[in-house]
Every structure is written in C-alpha cells, then in structure tokens.
C-alpha cells in the first residue's frame, strides 16, 4: 500500500485492499482473504472473474491480431456492432461507434448533440455521465463539477423523475435530453413509471434527441439487455432512443465502450474526421464484447439476474435498519434508516463481502450476472450482523 501511495495519483483515495486474483464471483486479497464480489468492479465484471470462455476468446484474439488502428476494419468489430444493433432492435441505418469507457461514450454523445445545430442539453439532477469535461458538464454532483468550472456550457439540469419539469425545460432550442433509465451513482434510483415515455414524447415534439445512458444499466444488468427495454421502466411501450451509450459490462472486464445511434438521421450527424479514438473497437476488445454477449445468452443469465436479484431484494428487508430496497435485476440499493452505509460496508468487507456505500444511507450491489442463489443467500445471512454492529445515533 505504501508503494501505491508513493506512485499512483491519489484521485481514488486509499484502496481498501490489494486484490491479487479472482475466480467466478470471488476475489482474493494479498493476504489470502476471500471475498464475495457483490460490486463486480462497479457493474463491469458481468461474467465474474477469469471466466474461461472470456479468457479463451481474449487470449486467442491477442495471439491472432491485437490492434490494427481505425484505418482498417476487423471482422470482430463489425460483428460486435451488428450484435448490439440486433439486441437494441435498432432500425435500418443505425450504427455503433466503439471507444474505451462510459465517459468516452457520453463524450461522443455530447459532441454528436452539437451537430444538430443546437447547443442546449437537458440532463437530470442526480445524473452521473462521467468525469471528462463534456460528460462532467452533464453530470450533476457539484463536488465533481465545481473544481473544474467553467464546464462546456448550455447544460440544464431538471429534477429527476419530474415529467412536468422536463416538459417545461425542453424547447425548440434543445439539442438533446440525456437520461439514465436507473440512476446508479445517485443511489440506484429507477425512473418513475411513465417518465421515459414522457421524455420520448417531449423530445419528439421539439425535434430533440433522446439519449439513454446505459453505461451501468446495459448488457443484462437489470435482467433485460438494456434497462429501457424493461416493462417496469417503459410502461409496456417500446421506447426507442436516438442514442444509447454503453460500457462497463460490455467487455466483461476488458475496457470497451460504445455509442449506438438509432436510424440514419442520427447516424449521419457525425461524419468522417469529426470524431475518433485510438483503441476503440480493436480486435481484442471486440472479442471480449462478443464473448460476454455470447455467454449471457448461452447460459440464460438474464433469467438468473431476475431470479437472484429478486431473492436478494426479498431477503434483506427484515432488519430494522433497512428502510427498503430498490432497483432491478442485479443493480440494487439497500436503503438504510440512518447514514451508516460506510460502516456497514466496512463490516461486510471484514466479513468477506464487497459492497459499495453509494450514499451515506444506501448500499449498492452490482455483482456479476453469474451470481448464484447460494452466494446471494450467504450475503443475506451475513447482512444482519454487519448492520447490528454499526454505530447508530438512535439505537
């Protein structure tokens, strides 16, 4: 740890442990302690750690063709784009742009909005879209924004989930509305019923783009390939965005992000030379994406996500400190009655469970999609003791 602090830029604070290996849903630290990884690298490790199929696909591709630059195409990049468009039910004329992370995908989306000839972007309070300058402008948290002001301008934040406020903010000067179907960093807060549909209606009425940021919620995390496909969030209607951004689970741990444009009108907004990236869509990252999607489908992981997620939601509610549970699939927040999430997460870590105190009073779970019922039960059994021993203001 001393070597880390002497050599690694301290933007992440002090690491909690030094992790040295992983297998399935478990990781081990440098002292040999085993942990059940219920955070999954913040929703990244969709297939867990060292999944044999992913390892084999990446290893084979690296031994065949690792990187070619974007002056050349590669078959895996094309196949991954085609697969994503299929899963997204994107119409003819849609396309995918590959990059390396969620913030880079949202940065591309932000640039794309400028090509509408308008500059106004409407985002939501509580939104997290990344920390690069354009993505940060659309992110809400003041602690992230203020040290870097002024940010790229003309971004308006409206109250999350308030369809009337959204309708009032969107006008004929609006280039785009960007929304997360479930706000992850704000504490796993799903869009209220009808909100996404209302966003679709108001953006259509003003010829503005609708961008769904599915960086955290996409690739099966919620039990659907993309969260906006969930009936609980779309109200049973098929809501097609104009743009969707992806990353995190897409590569199963290999860095890859994507911007998906829906239909030729949006796809043609960015022309050759107007955007790019060095590593995006390279054969190894594309192989990882294809392998991840293949295993999710082959092993029926969407159904597993729904079943195990429901098991956790039903199993953790009995403790008096738990005020409720929210989320979909395996993106879950346990709401606490007091701001003791950090202490509870620390107790759980000591007991061998990795979770995230996403808010002072909320614990976030985003485990690998391969999590088993038995592994979920082990967490459910351990949670009461972790909560019993936190310091409370009103015991």
């Amino acid at each position: 740890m001393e070597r880390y602090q002497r050599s690694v830029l301290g933007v992440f604070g002090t690491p909690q442990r030094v992790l040295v290996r992983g297998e399935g849903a478990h990781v081990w630290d440098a002292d040999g302690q085993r942990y059940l990884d219920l955070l999954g690298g913040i929703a990244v490790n969709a297939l867990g750690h060292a999944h044999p199929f992913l390892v084999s696909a990446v290893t084979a591709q690296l031994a065949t063709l690792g990187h070619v630059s974007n002056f050349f195409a590669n078959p895996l990049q094309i196949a991954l784009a085609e697969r994503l468009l299929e899963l997204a039910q994107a119409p003819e004329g849609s396309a995918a742009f590959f990059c390396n992370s969620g913030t880079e995908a949202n940065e591309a989306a932000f640039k794309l909005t400028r090509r509408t000839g308008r500059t106004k972007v409407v985002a939501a309070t509580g939104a997290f879209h990344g920390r690069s300058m354009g993505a940060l402008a659309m992110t809400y948290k003041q602690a992230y924004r203020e040290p870097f002001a002024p940010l790229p301008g003309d971004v308006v934040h409206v109250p999350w989930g308030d369809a009337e406020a959204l309708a009032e903010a969107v006008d004929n000067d609006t280039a785009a509305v960007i929304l997360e179907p479930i706000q992850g960093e704000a504490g796993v807060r799903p869009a209220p019923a009808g909100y996404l549909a209302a966003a679709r209606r108001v953006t259509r009425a003003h010829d503005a783009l609708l961008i769904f940021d599915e960086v955290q919620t996409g690739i099966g995390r919620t039990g659907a390939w993309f969260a906006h496909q969930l009936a609980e969030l779309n109200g049973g209607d098929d809501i097609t965005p104009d743009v969707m951004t992806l990353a995190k689970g897409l590569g199963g741990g290999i860095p890859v992000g994507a911007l998906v444009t829906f239909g030729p009108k949006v796809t043609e907004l960015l022309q050759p030379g107007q955007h790019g990236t060095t590593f995006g869509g390279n054969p190894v990252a594309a192989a990882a994406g294809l392998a991840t999607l293949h295993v999710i489908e082959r092993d029926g992981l969407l159904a597993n996500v729904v079943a195990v997620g429901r098991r956790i939601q039903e199993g953790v509610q009995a403790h008096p400190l738990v005020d409720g549970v929210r989320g979909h699939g395996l993106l879950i927040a346990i709401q606490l009655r007091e701001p003791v999430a950090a202490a509870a997460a620390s107790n759980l870590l000591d007991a061998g469970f990795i979770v995230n105190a996403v808010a002072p009073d909320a614990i976030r779970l985003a485990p690998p999609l391969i999590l088993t019922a038995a592994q979920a039960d082990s967490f459910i059994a351990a949670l009461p003791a972790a909560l019993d021993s936190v310091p409370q203001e009103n015991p």
Side-chain angles (χ1 to χ4, degrees), residues 65-306:
L65 186 66
H67 183 75
V68 296
S69 90
N70 288 310
F71 291 120
F72 303 92
N74 69 81
L76 297 181
Q77 179 191 60
I78 297 168
L80 182 58
E82 291 173 339
R83 186 71 176 121
L84 287 177
L85 296 179
E86 178 186 9
L87 295 174
Q89 302 175 33
E92 187 71 23
S94 303
F97 164 82
F98 292 111
C99 50
N100 308 291
S101 67
T103 194
E104 198 179 339
N106 284 328
E107 198 73 27
F110 190 68
K111 281 185 69 176
L112 183 144
T113 68
R114 296 295 177 97
R115 293 287 297 146
T116 64
R118 307 174 182 179
T119 59
K120 180 179 176 181
V121 174
V122 178
T125 58
F128 182 85
H129 299 296
R131 299 175 191 250
S132 57
M133 291 295 274
L136 184 59
M138 299 187 294
T139 291
Y140 180 70
K141 192 171 183 177
Q142 297 305 304
Y144 296 161
R145 295 165 54 86
E146 288 176 351
F148 304 99
L151 295 167
D154 218 1
V155 177
V156 176
H157 287 93
V158 296
W160 166 243
D162 187 334
E164 290 186 9
L166 183 64
E168 290 177 4
V170 178
D171 53 29
N172 290 340
D173 293 326
T174 302
V177 171
I178 182 168
L179 299 171
E180 301 156 273
I182 301 173
Q183 289 191 330
E185 298 298 316
V188 188
R189 299 190 177 280
Y195 185 61
L196 299 183
R200 181 65 284 182
R201 286 195 298 272
V202 72
T203 48
R204 282 225 172 94
H206 294 280
D207 198 25
L209 302 177
L210 177 61
I211 304 170
F212 283 156
D213 177 342
E214 295 249 21
V215 167
Q216 187 163 153
T217 55
I219 318 299
R221 170 60 50 192
T222 65
W225 283 110
F226 310 107
H228 74 268
Q229 296 173 336
L230 286 173
E232 297 93 330
L233 295 179
N234 64 27
D237 297 327
D238 289 333
I239 300 175
T240 302
D242 299 300
V243 178
M244 177 171 66
T245 56
L246 301 168
K248 289 194 180 290
L250 178 55
I254 300 297
V256 54
L259 170 86
V260 178
T261 56
F262 289 74
K265 181 180 177 182
V266 183
T267 298
E268 292 168 5
L269 286 175
L270 285 174
Q271 293 295 307
Q274 292 182 336
H275 197 57
T277 178
T278 294
F279 298 103
N282 86 16
V284 176
L290 285 167
T292 301
L293 296 176
H294 172 75
V295 173
I296 291 173
E297 184 174 53
R298 183 197 68 183
D299 295 352
L301 293 184
L302 297 184
N304 185 65
V305 165
V306 172

Side-chain angles (χ1 to χ4, degrees), residues 41-60:
I42 313 182
V44 166
N45 298 105
L47 305 184
H49 301 272
H51 191 284
F53 192 90
L54 179 60
V55 171
S56 175
V58 169
T59 303

